[in-house]
């Protein structure tokens, strides 16, 4: 079984000054990413070792800092990790019965481990991304129709 990294920041220990510092760090990381500038991590070892970070890692660090600043917990998972229907429903912010209907209709792929259903994190994220894209397309269609009808003029 793989070990998962769960981070639960303690808001009581995070001062307003620390929140402001995190906000500044998030802003700096965002600026570097937008400009395509390299980001490195300097270790406080005897050699002052510097490690160049890929942009995907910098994006992950920026997101982690944002979540910590907001006092939110987060879980680092691999895409091929499997989750239970309860966990998948939580990730999708839908009820477990609704998720089971989606599994039964094959909207979301799953497999059985014994008598228990399991869904890969990649499939949960793909479904969530698909739902978001469909919602955005529907909203854009409504905007276009409202423009054509002159509703907001």
């Amino acid at each position: 079984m793989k070990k998962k990294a769960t981070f639960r920041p303690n808001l009581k220990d995070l001062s307003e000054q620390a929140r402001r510092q995190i906000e500044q760090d998030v802003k700096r990381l965002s600026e570097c990413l937008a400009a395509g500038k390299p980001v490195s991590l300097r270790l406080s070892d005897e050699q002052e070792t510097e490690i160049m970070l890929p942009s995907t890692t910098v994006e992950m660090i920026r997101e982690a800092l944002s979540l910590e600043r907001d006092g939110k917990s987060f879980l680092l998972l691999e895409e091929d990790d499997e989750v239970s229907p309860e966990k998948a429903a939580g990730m999708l912010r839908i009820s477990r019965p609704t998720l089971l209907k989606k599994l039964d209709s094959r909207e979301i792929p799953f497999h059985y481990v014994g008598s228990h259903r399991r869904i890969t994190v990649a499939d949960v994220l793909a479904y969530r991304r698909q739902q978001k894209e469909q919602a955005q397309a529907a909203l854009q269609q409504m905007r276009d129709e409202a423009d054509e009808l002159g509703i907001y003029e």
Side-chain angles (χ1 to χ4, degrees):
M1 178 108 182
K2 297 178 200 172
K3 184 171 176 134
K4 308 290 184 265
T6 304
F7 302 95
R8 289 190 176 88
N10 185 346
L11 282 179
K12 294 175 186 169
D13 295 339
L14 193 59
S15 68
E16 191 55 41
Q17 180 181 359
R19 278 196 186 96
R20 282 194 301 272
Q21 181 62 52
I22 290 172
E23 187 62 41
Q24 290 174 2
D25 294 342
V26 167
K27 184 178 178 186
R28 281 191 214 114
L29 288 173
S30 296
E31 290 168 353
C32 285
L33 284 167
K37 293 180 181 175
V39 175
S40 63
L41 178 68
R42 188 175 334 179
L43 305 179
S44 297
D45 59 5
E46 293 175 7
Q47 296 85 20
E48 292 282 319
T49 306
E50 189 171 354
I51 301 169
M52 297 305 295
L53 300 175
S55 60
T56 53
T57 303
V58 176
E59 289 171 5
M60 184 176 63
I61 292 169
R62 179 184 59 185
E63 185 65 23
L65 285 170
S66 296
L67 291 168
E68 182 178 13
R69 175 201 59 215
D70 298 340
K72 296 182 179 178
S73 298
F74 58 96
L75 182 64
L76 186 60
L77 298 169
E78 294 179 14
E79 285 190 336
D80 62 347
D81 284 344
E82 296 175 353
V83 293
S84 68
E86 291 81 9
K87 185 68 80 175
M91 292 170 72
L92 294 170
R93 296 184 180 105
I94 60 176
S95 69
R96 184 178 176 277
T98 298
L99 176 77
L100 294 178
K101 288 177 188 173
K102 294 181 182 303
L103 296 177
D104 290 339
S105 68
R106 300 290 184 194
E107 286 182 60
I108 301 173
F110 73 96
H111 66 277
Y112 283 99
V113 175
S115 62
H116 302 281
R117 299 178 204 219
R118 292 292 176 256
I119 307 112
T120 64
V121 170
D123 288 334
V124 173
L125 296 176
Y127 181 79
R128 186 167 69 185
R129 194 170 22 256
Q130 174 191 19
Q131 292 301 107
K132 187 174 186 176
E133 288 169 1
Q134 287 176 352
Q136 289 173 340
L139 181 59
Q140 186 59 49
Q141 182 180 357
M142 287 190 292
R143 285 183 190 136
D144 294 344
E145 290 173 2
D147 286 346
E148 285 177 19
L149 296 171
I151 293 176
Y152 294 109
E153 290 181 352

